[in-house]
Amino acid sequence: MHDKFGNLTGWDLEGFHSGGDTEAWRRLGSHVVTVHDDERGDLTGTRFAVWAPNARRVQVMGDFNWWQGDDMEFVPGTGVWATWKEGVGVGTQYKYKIQHGDGSWQEKVDPYARFADTPPGNASIVWESDYEWGASEQEWLDKRSQTNVYESQMSIYELHLGSWRKGLTYLELAEQLPAYVKWQGYTHVEFMPVMSHPFTGSWGYQVTGYFAPDARLGTPDDFRVLVEALHAEGIGVILDWVPGHFPKDDWALGRFDGTALYEHADPRQGEQPDWGTYVFNFGRNEVKCFLVSNALYWVQQFHADALRVDAVASMLYLDYSRAEGEWVPNKYGGRENLDAIDLLRYVNKHLYARTPGVVMIAEESTSFGGVTKPTNWGGLGFGFKWNMGWMNDSLRYLSLDPIYRQYHHNDMTFAMVYAYSENFILPISHDEVVHGKGSMLNKIPQDDWRKFATLRTFYSFMWSFPGKQLLFMGQEFAERAEWNEQEGLEWWVDSLPGHNGVRQLIRTMNELQAIHPALHQLDCEPEGFRWMNANDAAHNTYSYVRLDRDGEIIACLANFSSEPYPEYSVFLPKAGAWRQILSTDAVEFDGTGLYENVEPVIAVPSETDDPDAWASATVSVPPMGGVWLRYEG
């Protein structure tokens, strides 16, 4: 007689029910395991285990039994049904057939499946990885664990794998993407969700297979090849993760055993009206285990370097997108979702403790306090937060005709009021170039010359402003069209005048940022930034300096008017020579090249006895142009 549960016991599931199992995928789901039979010796097959505490009966069905259900048995006292099937191995497709309390039956995919069929198919697939990471991968992980990410350069290239170069598989992407990203000088890629999802138009944000990489592009081990190829070129991998909500597809997580199992039972807390989805029941121990295990799974098993948590604001507030009377206050009468806050702290704290060098990033669109403060200081424990306020303000400013920008000058300076309240990433993401918002180039008014020149200036402002940078694919070569996941990028324009100039500028700024610590080392510290002139609204011009710990100083000027200023007066923090290291109007960026500071700018000492008095200088600033000057002494 062999073990009918495939070596799974009630003791194994105690942590799952108490909320302490952070690798629940090792116990639940499908696993190829060997069991011992008293008469036949060791036997190999697959253990199936699924949590469905309110089901009357559960069967497993698949291509191993001609899709006829075989009964599973209740593991006593656990709410989990399990069975072991001899001879079933990797590649087997399966589903669970669950009988509800009212007697009705429903087919469900495995919440813990590590591979799934290619849509429109949805069957779960038995999978065991035999991937062997190379020696260089361990070197990457060791280096990552020793890196101070806050004081390091972080220039992120966000992309949708299915449409970056449409039609490429994970293996083909592994051959092409790392070389391009490295050539552009980015330090990280950020993938929109790679988890299994049925509807392409959701871009992966409505997940049905939380543990399964999207099969449209290949197998889980193919995805590992892509991650390792990026690491081999020194490029970190950030994955978007969606713990806030999930879709209502009747074959997925929703009403899994006929009851609200993964979602909150009360629709005022368990449904997200904006997206027509269910909201996880964050206070339920088994759901907490599902989510924390999933986060750790991608970091641990696929070597992701960071998770960017989507739609955090929708998790934090009970009244998010709900009218009066459509939400339930917390036990103190407030609007904060205390269970979600506890979950986020739990996930962040656990991942930072388990995986040295990992980074947790919040897409949080409100002013919720302490998003990037440590959990033991009362914060949520994220490493970085997307600066949505900076993004909204700056894009509003950019869309104005230059003649009106002087009346909205504070749109570009306001971010400094709160710049050090959190550790920020400055995002120009996919959300800003879809659904009628226009591409970055087409947000800018007037003719092509002004569009391209203004965009180059904006990018120079963004790359020199405190915070890490994120840019969505296609915007690095000023794609004209909105992004469309069905079409892919317009790669044929990237070598044309204007477009190529923007791409060369991004590459150059990434190189300069890597070389000069003043442009990244103190992104999260107020000592790294000083205004030269924050109030020159009349000239639509901003000027400031960036500093590092060792005395490097870089002066940055951004002129958003169409007027050139060949003798623009500024005060610089030190007297002496300042050498131009960047002009967005340079010929190599398809600019005019007419307003270069060919010779060093000389800052003349103040005539006062004040040792802290700034020195005066005259700088040539092109129309709709950005200039960076480095202090040479």
Side-chain angles (χ1 to χ4, degrees), residues 333-401:
R335 56 195 285 257
E336 295 79 15
N337 189 330
L338 303 180
D339 289 334
I341 291 169
D342 285 345
L343 172 80
L344 291 170
R345 287 173 173 161
Y346 179 30
V347 170
N348 289 335
K349 186 176 181 179
H350 188 75
L351 262 66
Y352 275 112
R354 286 288 298 274
T355 51
V358 74
V359 182
M360 298 297 290
I361 302 167
E363 186 227 359
E364 201 283 306
S365 55
T366 73
S367 57
F368 189 92
V371 172
T372 60
K373 285 186 169 55
T375 56
N376 58 348
W377 290 5
L380 294 183
F382 284 95
F384 287 99
K385 170 181 170 172
W386 276 21
N387 194 336
M388 311 294 279
W390 172 89
M391 177 272 297
N392 285 316
D393 291 345
S394 57
L395 293 188
R396 182 170 58 246
Y397 179 86
L398 206 62
S399 68
L400 297 169
D401 190 288

Side-chain angles (χ1 to χ4, degrees), residues 32 120 147 160-161 282 313 362 409 420 438 448 508 561 628:
V32 178
T147 299
H160 177 259
L161 285 173
F282 302 114
H409 192 77
Y420 305 107
D448 262 12
T508 299
S561 81
W628 295 354

Side-chain angles (χ1 to χ4, degrees), residues 107 423 475 503 554 588 628:
E107 293 179 6
N423 304 322
Q475 309 315 303
R503 187 169 67 166
I554 293 177
E588 63 189 293
W628 295 354

